[in-house]
PDB file of all heavy atoms in Angstrom:
ATOM      1  N   LYS A   1      20.750 -54.287  23.055  1.00  0.00           N
ATOM      2  CA  LYS A   1      21.396 -53.114  23.671  1.00  0.00           C
ATOM      3  C   LYS A   1      20.458 -52.209  24.428  1.00  0.00           C
ATOM      4  O   LYS A   1      20.779 -51.616  25.451  1.00  0.00           O
ATOM      5  CB  LYS A   1      22.067 -52.201  22.516  1.00  0.00           C
ATOM      6  CG  LYS A   1      22.880 -51.071  23.092  1.00  0.00           C
ATOM      7  CD  LYS A   1      24.047 -51.445  24.050  1.00  0.00           C
ATOM      8  CE  LYS A   1      25.147 -50.411  24.253  1.00  0.00           C
ATOM      9  NZ  LYS A   1      24.520 -49.279  24.973  1.00  0.00           N
ATOM     10  N   GLY A   2      19.185 -52.213  23.919  1.00  0.00           N
ATOM     11  CA  GLY A   2      18.200 -51.462  24.598  1.00  0.00           C
ATOM     12  C   GLY A   2      17.814 -52.007  25.936  1.00  0.00           C
ATOM     13  O   GLY A   2      17.639 -51.213  26.852  1.00  0.00           O
ATOM     14  N   LYS A   3      17.746 -53.266  26.075  1.00  0.00           N
ATOM     15  CA  LYS A   3      17.469 -53.948  27.290  1.00  0.00           C
ATOM     16  C   LYS A   3      18.653 -53.723  28.261  1.00  0.00           C
ATOM     17  O   LYS A   3      18.393 -53.461  29.473  1.00  0.00           O
ATOM     18  CB  LYS A   3      17.281 -55.485  27.052  1.00  0.00           C
ATOM     19  CG  LYS A   3      15.938 -55.790  26.282  1.00  0.00           C
ATOM     20  CD  LYS A   3      15.814 -57.220  26.108  1.00  0.00           C
ATOM     21  CE  LYS A   3      14.601 -57.612  25.348  1.00  0.00           C
ATOM     22  NZ  LYS A   3      14.405 -59.045  25.188  1.00  0.00           N
ATOM     23  N   LEU A   4      19.869 -53.843  27.796  1.00  0.00           N
ATOM     24  CA  LEU A   4      20.976 -53.595  28.738  1.00  0.00           C
ATOM     25  C   LEU A   4      21.031 -52.133  29.202  1.00  0.00           C
ATOM     26  O   LEU A   4      21.329 -51.902  30.420  1.00  0.00           O
ATOM     27  CB  LEU A   4      22.289 -53.909  28.001  1.00  0.00           C
ATOM     28  CG  LEU A   4      23.643 -53.772  28.756  1.00  0.00           C
ATOM     29  CD1 LEU A   4      23.537 -54.751  30.021  1.00  0.00           C
ATOM     30  CD2 LEU A   4      24.788 -54.121  27.878  1.00  0.00           C
ATOM     31  N   ASP A   5      20.710 -51.169  28.311  1.00  0.00           N
ATOM     32  CA  ASP A   5      20.656 -49.784  28.795  1.00  0.00           C
ATOM     33  C   ASP A   5      19.616 -49.577  29.888  1.00  0.00           C
ATOM     34  O   ASP A   5      19.881 -48.784  30.805  1.00  0.00           O
ATOM     35  CB  ASP A   5      20.414 -48.849  27.650  1.00  0.00           C
ATOM     36  CG  ASP A   5      21.543 -48.776  26.560  1.00  0.00           C
ATOM     37  OD1 ASP A   5      22.637 -49.113  27.001  1.00  0.00           O
ATOM     38  OD2 ASP A   5      21.442 -48.368  25.438  1.00  0.00           O
ATOM     39  N   ALA A   6      18.445 -50.306  29.741  1.00  0.00           N
ATOM     40  CA  ALA A   6      17.436 -50.085  30.717  1.00  0.00           C
ATOM     41  C   ALA A   6      17.890 -50.714  31.977  1.00  0.00           C
ATOM     42  O   ALA A   6      17.536 -50.203  33.127  1.00  0.00           O
ATOM     43  CB  ALA A   6      16.200 -50.898  30.240  1.00  0.00           C
ATOM     44  N   ALA A   7      18.588 -51.815  32.010  1.00  0.00           N
ATOM     45  CA  ALA A   7      19.094 -52.367  33.274  1.00  0.00           C
ATOM     46  C   ALA A   7      20.118 -51.463  33.924  1.00  0.00           C
ATOM     47  O   ALA A   7      20.127 -51.332  35.227  1.00  0.00           O
ATOM     48  CB  ALA A   7      19.778 -53.761  32.975  1.00  0.00           C
ATOM     49  N   ILE A   8      20.943 -50.834  33.188  1.00  0.00           N
ATOM     50  CA  ILE A   8      21.917 -49.904  33.666  1.00  0.00           C
ATOM     51  C   ILE A   8      21.217 -48.664  34.375  1.00  0.00           C
ATOM     52  O   ILE A   8      21.630 -48.231  35.537  1.00  0.00           O
ATOM     53  CB  ILE A   8      22.959 -49.366  32.579  1.00  0.00           C
ATOM     54  CG1 ILE A   8      23.740 -50.531  32.068  1.00  0.00           C
ATOM     55  CG2 ILE A   8      23.687 -48.276  33.117  1.00  0.00           C
ATOM     56  CD1 ILE A   8      24.644 -50.214  30.881  1.00  0.00           C
ATOM     57  N   VAL A   9      20.169 -48.135  33.738  1.00  0.00           N
ATOM     58  CA  VAL A   9      19.429 -47.015  34.370  1.00  0.00           C
ATOM     59  C   VAL A   9      18.739 -47.512  35.623  1.00  0.00           C
ATOM     60  O   VAL A   9      18.760 -46.803  36.562  1.00  0.00           O
ATOM     61  CB  VAL A   9      18.366 -46.513  33.243  1.00  0.00           C
ATOM     62  CG1 VAL A   9      17.450 -45.490  34.050  1.00  0.00           C
ATOM     63  CG2 VAL A   9      19.081 -45.839  32.182  1.00  0.00           C
ATOM     64  N   GLU A  10      18.102 -48.689  35.556  1.00  0.00           N
ATOM     65  CA  GLU A  10      17.342 -49.182  36.728  1.00  0.00           C
ATOM     66  C   GLU A  10      18.303 -49.451  37.970  1.00  0.00           C
ATOM     67  O   GLU A  10      18.032 -48.963  38.990  1.00  0.00           O
ATOM     68  CB  GLU A  10      16.723 -50.526  36.445  1.00  0.00           C
ATOM     69  CG  GLU A  10      15.854 -51.001  37.597  1.00  0.00           C
ATOM     70  CD  GLU A  10      15.082 -52.236  37.215  1.00  0.00           C
ATOM     71  OE1 GLU A  10      15.206 -52.659  36.078  1.00  0.00           O
ATOM     72  OE2 GLU A  10      14.321 -52.726  38.054  1.00  0.00           O
ATOM     73  N   SER A  11      19.390 -49.947  37.622  1.00  0.00           N
ATOM     74  CA  SER A  11      20.497 -50.265  38.699  1.00  0.00           C
ATOM     75  C   SER A  11      20.941 -48.901  39.279  1.00  0.00           C
ATOM     76  O   SER A  11      21.023 -48.769  40.565  1.00  0.00           O
ATOM     77  CB  SER A  11      21.605 -51.063  38.145  1.00  0.00           C
ATOM     78  OG  SER A  11      22.621 -51.266  39.087  1.00  0.00           O
ATOM     79  N   GLY A  12      21.240 -47.981  38.476  1.00  0.00           N
ATOM     80  CA  GLY A  12      21.670 -46.610  38.952  1.00  0.00           C
ATOM     81  C   GLY A  12      20.647 -45.902  39.725  1.00  0.00           C
ATOM     82  O   GLY A  12      20.847 -45.311  40.822  1.00  0.00           O
ATOM     83  N   ASN A  13      19.338 -46.030  39.388  1.00  0.00           N
ATOM     84  CA  ASN A  13      18.199 -45.515  40.102  1.00  0.00           C
ATOM     85  C   ASN A  13      18.193 -46.040  41.483  1.00  0.00           C
ATOM     86  O   ASN A  13      17.998 -45.329  42.583  1.00  0.00           O
ATOM     87  CB  ASN A  13      16.915 -45.635  39.393  1.00  0.00           C
ATOM     88  CG  ASN A  13      16.855 -44.756  38.131  1.00  0.00           C
ATOM     89  OD1 ASN A  13      17.663 -43.702  38.041  1.00  0.00           O
ATOM     90  ND2 ASN A  13      15.950 -45.031  37.170  1.00  0.00           N
ATOM     91  N   VAL A  14      18.258 -47.388  41.525  1.00  0.00           N
ATOM     92  CA  VAL A  14      18.183 -48.034  42.925  1.00  0.00           C
ATOM     93  C   VAL A  14      19.331 -47.555  43.788  1.00  0.00           C
ATOM     94  O   VAL A  14      19.097 -47.350  44.973  1.00  0.00           O
ATOM     95  CB  VAL A  14      18.286 -49.610  42.828  1.00  0.00           C
ATOM     96  CG1 VAL A  14      18.355 -50.213  44.141  1.00  0.00           C
ATOM     97  CG2 VAL A  14      16.965 -50.068  42.037  1.00  0.00           C
ATOM     98  N   TYR A  15      20.534 -47.450  43.219  1.00  0.00           N
ATOM     99  CA  TYR A  15      21.682 -47.024  43.995  1.00  0.00           C
ATOM    100  C   TYR A  15      21.488 -45.594  44.630  1.00  0.00           C
ATOM    101  O   TYR A  15      21.688 -45.334  45.726  1.00  0.00           O
ATOM    102  CB  TYR A  15      22.827 -46.991  43.066  1.00  0.00           C
ATOM    103  CG  TYR A  15      24.242 -46.715  43.843  1.00  0.00           C
ATOM    104  CD1 TYR A  15      25.004 -47.676  44.442  1.00  0.00           C
ATOM    105  CD2 TYR A  15      24.514 -45.330  43.965  1.00  0.00           C
ATOM    106  CE1 TYR A  15      26.147 -47.309  45.106  1.00  0.00           C
ATOM    107  CE2 TYR A  15      25.697 -45.076  44.694  1.00  0.00           C
ATOM    108  CZ  TYR A  15      26.514 -46.076  45.256  1.00  0.00           C
ATOM    109  OH  TYR A  15      27.671 -45.679  45.910  1.00  0.00           O
ATOM    110  N   ASN A  16      20.950 -44.691  43.717  1.00  0.00           N
ATOM    111  CA  ASN A  16      20.686 -43.366  44.251  1.00  0.00           C
ATOM    112  C   ASN A  16      19.597 -43.365  45.316  1.00  0.00           C
ATOM    113  O   ASN A  16      19.709 -42.555  46.224  1.00  0.00           O
ATOM    114  CB  ASN A  16      20.265 -42.460  43.033  1.00  0.00           C
ATOM    115  CG  ASN A  16      21.401 -42.199  41.998  1.00  0.00           C
ATOM    116  OD1 ASN A  16      22.571 -42.219  42.475  1.00  0.00           O
ATOM    117  ND2 ASN A  16      21.047 -41.971  40.828  1.00  0.00           N
ATOM    118  N   GLN A  17      18.608 -44.170  45.110  1.00  0.00           N
ATOM    119  CA  GLN A  17      17.533 -44.182  46.117  1.00  0.00           C
ATOM    120  C   GLN A  17      17.996 -44.662  47.463  1.00  0.00           C
ATOM    121  O   GLN A  17      17.634 -44.107  48.521  1.00  0.00           O
ATOM    122  CB  GLN A  17      16.357 -45.071  45.706  1.00  0.00           C
ATOM    123  CG  GLN A  17      15.623 -44.570  44.363  1.00  0.00           C
ATOM    124  CD  GLN A  17      14.701 -45.619  43.829  1.00  0.00           C
ATOM    125  OE1 GLN A  17      14.565 -46.759  44.370  1.00  0.00           O
ATOM    126  NE2 GLN A  17      14.042 -45.249  42.700  1.00  0.00           N
ATOM    127  N   VAL A  18      18.865 -45.645  47.455  1.00  0.00           N
ATOM    128  CA  VAL A  18      19.272 -46.203  48.663  1.00  0.00           C
ATOM    129  C   VAL A  18      20.296 -45.252  49.379  1.00  0.00           C
ATOM    130  O   VAL A  18      20.384 -45.051  50.637  1.00  0.00           O
ATOM    131  CB  VAL A  18      20.026 -47.563  48.500  1.00  0.00           C
ATOM    132  CG1 VAL A  18      20.728 -48.115  49.789  1.00  0.00           C
ATOM    133  CG2 VAL A  18      18.902 -48.583  47.983  1.00  0.00           C
ATOM    134  N   SER A  19      21.120 -44.546  48.504  1.00  0.00           N
ATOM    135  CA  SER A  19      21.992 -43.497  48.981  1.00  0.00           C
ATOM    136  C   SER A  19      21.274 -42.365  49.791  1.00  0.00           C
ATOM    137  O   SER A  19      21.623 -41.923  50.829  1.00  0.00           O
ATOM    138  CB  SER A  19      22.789 -42.883  47.925  1.00  0.00           C
ATOM    139  OG  SER A  19      23.658 -43.877  47.308  1.00  0.00           O
ATOM    140  N   ASN A  20      20.159 -42.008  49.154  1.00  0.00           N
ATOM    141  CA  ASN A  20      19.281 -40.996  49.773  1.00  0.00           C
ATOM    142  C   ASN A  20      18.666 -41.507  50.982  1.00  0.00           C
ATOM    143  O   ASN A  20      18.456 -40.726  52.044  1.00  0.00           O
ATOM    144  CB  ASN A  20      18.199 -40.514  48.771  1.00  0.00           C
ATOM    145  CG  ASN A  20      18.660 -39.748  47.583  1.00  0.00           C
ATOM    146  OD1 ASN A  20      19.856 -39.207  47.613  1.00  0.00           O
ATOM    147  ND2 ASN A  20      17.939 -39.809  46.482  1.00  0.00           N
ATOM    148  N   LYS A  21      18.259 -42.814  51.058  1.00  0.00           N
ATOM    149  CA  LYS A  21      17.839 -43.357  52.245  1.00  0.00           C
ATOM    150  C   LYS A  21      18.740 -43.378  53.362  1.00  0.00           C
ATOM    151  O   LYS A  21      18.374 -43.094  54.531  1.00  0.00           O
ATOM    152  CB  LYS A  21      17.222 -44.830  51.958  1.00  0.00           C
ATOM    153  CG  LYS A  21      16.428 -45.487  53.016  1.00  0.00           C
ATOM    154  CD  LYS A  21      15.047 -44.854  52.903  1.00  0.00           C
ATOM    155  CE  LYS A  21      13.969 -45.642  53.786  1.00  0.00           C
ATOM    156  NZ  LYS A  21      12.772 -45.053  53.634  1.00  0.00           N
ATOM    157  N   ILE A  22      19.996 -43.744  53.079  1.00  0.00           N
ATOM    158  CA  ILE A  22      21.048 -43.700  54.147  1.00  0.00           C
ATOM    159  C   ILE A  22      21.187 -42.260  54.725  1.00  0.00           C
ATOM    160  O   ILE A  22      21.259 -42.208  55.895  1.00  0.00           O
ATOM    161  CB  ILE A  22      22.421 -44.243  53.585  1.00  0.00           C
ATOM    162  CG1 ILE A  22      22.249 -45.794  53.341  1.00  0.00           C
ATOM    163  CG2 ILE A  22      23.517 -43.910  54.410  1.00  0.00           C
ATOM    164  CD1 ILE A  22      23.627 -46.339  52.724  1.00  0.00           C
ATOM    165  N   SER A  23      21.220 -41.281  53.889  1.00  0.00           N
ATOM    166  CA  SER A  23      21.310 -39.872  54.276  1.00  0.00           C
ATOM    167  C   SER A  23      20.244 -39.564  55.221  1.00  0.00           C
ATOM    168  O   SER A  23      20.383 -39.040  56.247  1.00  0.00           O
ATOM    169  CB  SER A  23      21.302 -38.973  53.172  1.00  0.00           C
ATOM    170  OG  SER A  23      21.452 -37.611  53.534  1.00  0.00           O
ATOM    171  N   HIS A  24      19.041 -39.886  54.845  1.00  0.00           N
ATOM    172  CA  HIS A  24      17.770 -39.657  55.657  1.00  0.00           C
ATOM    173  C   HIS A  24      17.765 -40.384  57.077  1.00  0.00           C
ATOM    174  O   HIS A  24      17.626 -39.796  58.080  1.00  0.00           O
ATOM    175  CB  HIS A  24      16.484 -40.083  54.963  1.00  0.00           C
ATOM    176  CG  HIS A  24      15.291 -40.155  55.868  1.00  0.00           C
ATOM    177  ND1 HIS A  24      14.747 -39.051  56.335  1.00  0.00           N
ATOM    178  CD2 HIS A  24      14.666 -41.194  56.332  1.00  0.00           C
ATOM    179  CE1 HIS A  24      13.606 -39.307  57.033  1.00  0.00           C
ATOM    180  NE2 HIS A  24      13.564 -40.580  57.044  1.00  0.00           N
ATOM    181  N   LEU A  25      18.237 -41.668  57.041  1.00  0.00           N
ATOM    182  CA  LEU A  25      18.216 -42.518  58.248  1.00  0.00           C
ATOM    183  C   LEU A  25      19.351 -42.040  59.221  1.00  0.00           C
ATOM    184  O   LEU A  25      19.199 -42.047  60.408  1.00  0.00           O
ATOM    185  CB  LEU A  25      18.469 -43.969  57.868  1.00  0.00           C
ATOM    186  CG  LEU A  25      17.360 -44.642  57.239  1.00  0.00           C
ATOM    187  CD1 LEU A  25      17.871 -46.148  56.838  1.00  0.00           C
ATOM    188  CD2 LEU A  25      16.126 -44.809  58.133  1.00  0.00           C
ATOM    189  N   SER A  26      20.527 -41.565  58.583  1.00  0.00           N
ATOM    190  CA  SER A  26      21.539 -41.075  59.412  1.00  0.00           C
ATOM    191  C   SER A  26      21.119 -39.819  60.170  1.00  0.00           C
ATOM    192  O   SER A  26      21.396 -39.580  61.408  1.00  0.00           O
ATOM    193  CB  SER A  26      22.805 -40.763  58.609  1.00  0.00           C
ATOM    194  OG  SER A  26      23.295 -41.927  57.998  1.00  0.00           O
ATOM    195  N   SER A  27      20.416 -38.900  59.456  1.00  0.00           N
ATOM    196  CA  SER A  27      19.871 -37.710  60.099  1.00  0.00           C
ATOM    197  C   SER A  27      18.824 -38.058  61.120  1.00  0.00           C
ATOM    198  O   SER A  27      18.842 -37.499  62.200  1.00  0.00           O
ATOM    199  CB  SER A  27      19.362 -36.841  58.988  1.00  0.00           C
ATOM    200  OG  SER A  27      18.654 -35.618  59.532  1.00  0.00           O
ATOM    201  N   LEU A  28      18.052 -38.947  60.735  1.00  0.00           N
ATOM    202  CA  LEU A  28      16.947 -39.335  61.678  1.00  0.00           C
ATOM    203  C   LEU A  28      17.498 -39.935  62.978  1.00  0.00           C
ATOM    204  O   LEU A  28      17.039 -39.652  64.128  1.00  0.00           O
ATOM    205  CB  LEU A  28      15.965 -40.342  60.999  1.00  0.00           C
ATOM    206  CG  LEU A  28      14.746 -40.912  61.913  1.00  0.00           C
ATOM    207  CD1 LEU A  28      13.763 -39.576  62.203  1.00  0.00           C
ATOM    208  CD2 LEU A  28      14.016 -41.872  61.045  1.00  0.00           C
ATOM    209  N   ASN A  29      18.527 -40.841  62.778  1.00  0.00           N
ATOM    210  CA  ASN A  29      19.107 -41.453  63.971  1.00  0.00           C
ATOM    211  C   ASN A  29      19.772 -40.448  64.907  1.00  0.00           C
ATOM    212  O   ASN A  29      19.704 -40.557  66.155  1.00  0.00           O
ATOM    213  CB  ASN A  29      20.139 -42.483  63.543  1.00  0.00           C
ATOM    214  CG  ASN A  29      20.613 -43.313  64.600  1.00  0.00           C
ATOM    215  OD1 ASN A  29      19.831 -44.055  65.305  1.00  0.00           O
ATOM    216  ND2 ASN A  29      21.937 -43.418  64.742  1.00  0.00           N
ATOM    217  N   ALA A  30      20.450 -39.469  64.310  1.00  0.00           N
ATOM    218  CA  ALA A  30      21.097 -38.417  65.121  1.00  0.00           C
ATOM    219  C   ALA A  30      20.036 -37.579  65.855  1.00  0.00           C
ATOM    220  O   ALA A  30      20.280 -37.261  67.037  1.00  0.00           O
ATOM    221  CB  ALA A  30      21.941 -37.451  64.157  1.00  0.00           C
ATOM    222  N   GLY A  31      18.892 -37.311  65.212  1.00  0.00           N
ATOM    223  CA  GLY A  31      17.896 -36.526  65.783  1.00  0.00           C
ATOM    224  C   GLY A  31      17.234 -37.302  66.997  1.00  0.00           C
ATOM    225  O   GLY A  31      17.021 -36.731  68.069  1.00  0.00           O
ATOM    226  N   TYR A  32      17.057 -38.604  66.859  1.00  0.00           N
ATOM    227  CA  TYR A  32      16.445 -39.438  67.965  1.00  0.00           C
ATOM    228  C   TYR A  32      17.451 -39.419  69.066  1.00  0.00           C
ATOM    229  O   TYR A  32      17.044 -39.478  70.218  1.00  0.00           O
ATOM    230  CB  TYR A  32      16.228 -40.843  67.351  1.00  0.00           C
ATOM    231  CG  TYR A  32      14.939 -41.045  66.636  1.00  0.00           C
ATOM    232  CD1 TYR A  32      14.124 -39.941  66.420  1.00  0.00           C
ATOM    233  CD2 TYR A  32      14.543 -42.305  66.286  1.00  0.00           C
ATOM    234  CE1 TYR A  32      12.856 -40.195  65.734  1.00  0.00           C
ATOM    235  CE2 TYR A  32      13.322 -42.475  65.648  1.00  0.00           C
ATOM    236  CZ  TYR A  32      12.522 -41.384  65.338  1.00  0.00           C
ATOM    237  OH  TYR A  32      11.375 -41.645  64.678  1.00  0.00           O
ATOM    238  N   ALA A  33      18.734 -39.555  68.828  1.00  0.00           N
ATOM    239  CA  ALA A  33      19.757 -39.682  69.875  1.00  0.00           C
ATOM    240  C   ALA A  33      19.755 -38.373  70.721  1.00  0.00           C
ATOM    241  O   ALA A  33      19.813 -38.467  71.873  1.00  0.00           O
ATOM    242  CB  ALA A  33      21.093 -39.891  69.202  1.00  0.00           C
ATOM    243  N   LEU A  34      19.688 -37.277  70.031  1.00  0.00           N
ATOM    244  CA  LEU A  34      19.618 -35.969  70.788  1.00  0.00           C
ATOM    245  C   LEU A  34      18.284 -35.913  71.606  1.00  0.00           C
ATOM    246  O   LEU A  34      18.288 -35.397  72.795  1.00  0.00           O
ATOM    247  CB  LEU A  34      19.688 -34.794  69.763  1.00  0.00           C
ATOM    248  CG  LEU A  34      20.992 -34.526  69.114  1.00  0.00           C
ATOM    249  CD1 LEU A  34      20.833 -33.473  68.041  1.00  0.00           C
ATOM    250  CD2 LEU A  34      21.988 -34.074  70.113  1.00  0.00           C
ATOM    251  N   ASP A  35      17.143 -36.387  71.063  1.00  0.00           N
ATOM    252  CA  ASP A  35      15.990 -36.332  71.793  1.00  0.00           C
ATOM    253  C   ASP A  35      15.923 -37.312  73.010  1.00  0.00           C
ATOM    254  O   ASP A  35      15.559 -36.913  74.108  1.00  0.00           O
ATOM    255  CB  ASP A  35      14.691 -36.651  70.832  1.00  0.00           C
ATOM    256  CG  ASP A  35      13.401 -36.151  71.447  1.00  0.00           C
ATOM    257  OD1 ASP A  35      13.448 -35.447  72.413  1.00  0.00           O
ATOM    258  OD2 ASP A  35      12.298 -36.474  70.904  1.00  0.00           O
ATOM    259  N   VAL A  36      16.464 -38.450  72.810  1.00  0.00           N
ATOM    260  CA  VAL A  36      16.609 -39.475  73.925  1.00  0.00           C
ATOM    261  C   VAL A  36      17.550 -38.882  75.014  1.00  0.00           C
ATOM    262  O   VAL A  36      17.207 -38.934  76.209  1.00  0.00           O
ATOM    263  CB  VAL A  36      17.223 -40.753  73.517  1.00  0.00           C
ATOM    264  CG1 VAL A  36      17.523 -41.629  74.688  1.00  0.00           C
ATOM    265  CG2 VAL A  36      16.108 -41.535  72.618  1.00  0.00           C
ATOM    266  N   ALA A  37      18.598 -38.174  74.647  1.00  0.00           N
ATOM    267  CA  ALA A  37      19.437 -37.639  75.557  1.00  0.00           C
ATOM    268  C   ALA A  37      18.856 -36.541  76.389  1.00  0.00           C
ATOM    269  O   ALA A  37      19.047 -36.295  77.606  1.00  0.00           O
ATOM    270  CB  ALA A  37      20.689 -37.061  74.879  1.00  0.00           C
TER     271      ALA A  37
END
């Protein structure tokens, strides 16, 4: 059960990290588009 709990925590952390990455990339892409324009 301890190992399974650790896997659940790790998986959740990766999900949150990637969600944050998507938010950053979306903002960065919008900024680049405005600058190119």
Side-chain angles (χ1 to χ4, degrees):
K1 186 62 168 65
K3 292 179 180 179
L4 181 58
D5 289 344
I8 292 173
V9 170
E10 184 176 1
S11 178
N13 288 341
V14 171
Y15 185 91
N16 290 335
Q17 290 169 6
V18 176
S19 294
N20 292 337
K21 195 74 171 180
I22 287 178
S23 178
H24 168 73
L25 290 176
S26 297
S27 177
L28 182 63
N29 191 55
Y32 276 7
L34 287 173
D35 201 7
V36 169

